[in-house]
Amino acid sequence: MEAAGPPTQPPAPHPSVAPLSFLLGKWRGEGEGTFPTIAPFRYGEEILFSHHPSKPVISYTQRTWKAASGEPMHAESGYWRPRPDGSLEVVIAQSTGLSEVQKGSYDAEKKTVTLQSELVGNASKVKQIARAFQMVDGELSYIVQMATITNSLQPHLKALLKRI
Ligand code: HEM
């Protein structure tokens, strides 16, 4: 029989990921969607940021549902690649078929992340996407802005999530 070892501690994250470890885990909350061309809507959302200590990357999965009925809405997943210099790049595949390459920066002290699309692929209307995340009192908030063929860059989504 194997001898009982010392109490196990969660392994330290990869050094590249450590400054963004405030994101790691599962989040659930609610958001609202707007744009000049659509009727405003409310949605529920779950986000999972996961990580293996041997890799300098965070896996990201998100799903949303209609606040009133629970019916699934948009979903997306991707990979976040932070660098020690405070920059990061993110790739995201959306359930609509749209794909994004995002570049930006993080601030480990302020617990913020800002991203601007460098590439939006396979999109019929979307020209640009900007994403901003912020931790406020232990809660994760974000704003997603988009520019389309008819409208300049402006908010489409705003949400607040609690750790679960
Ligand atoms: C509408 C893009 C995320 C729900 C739209 C439109 C675009 C778009 C281009 C049509 C606007 C127009 O016709 O002028 C995006 C992008 C997203 C995103 C790029 C992520 C970066 C989401 C999410 C949800 C959502 C997370 C749900 C939680 C809707 C709804 C509409 C809409 C309900 C209006 C109805 C419809 O056209 O289907 N979105 N969206 N979107 N979006 Fe999003």
Side-chain angles (χ1 to χ4, degrees), residues 31-45 62-66 73-76 92 94 96 98 100 102 120 123-131 142 144-151 156-157:
E32 55 189 62
T34 52
F35 210 62
T37 50
I38 65 172
F41 60 94
R42 295 197 59 82
Y43 62 95
E45 176 168 33
Q62 175 257 32
R63 65 185 184 91
T64 61
W65 56 87
K66 287 186 181 172
M73 295 180 86
H74 176 112
E76 61 189 34
I92 294 178
Q94 300 192 6
T96 54
L98 183 152
E100 291 169 61
Q102 297 270 355
V120 174
S124 54
K125 290 184 175 169
V126 183
K127 302 306 258 181
Q128 234 186 312
I129 300 168
R131 296 174 180 256
Y142 72 77
V144 172
Q145 301 194 73
M146 68 176 173
T148 64
I149 46 176
T150 53
N151 291 80
H156 181 36
L157 308 167

Side-chain angles (χ1 to χ4, degrees), residues 42-59:
R42 295 197 59 82
Y43 62 95
E45 176 168 33
E46 207 170 272
I47 295 179
L48 174 66
F49 288 104
S50 56
H51 165 62
H52 190 281
S54 69
K55 295 280 184 219
V57 60
I58 298 171
S59 297

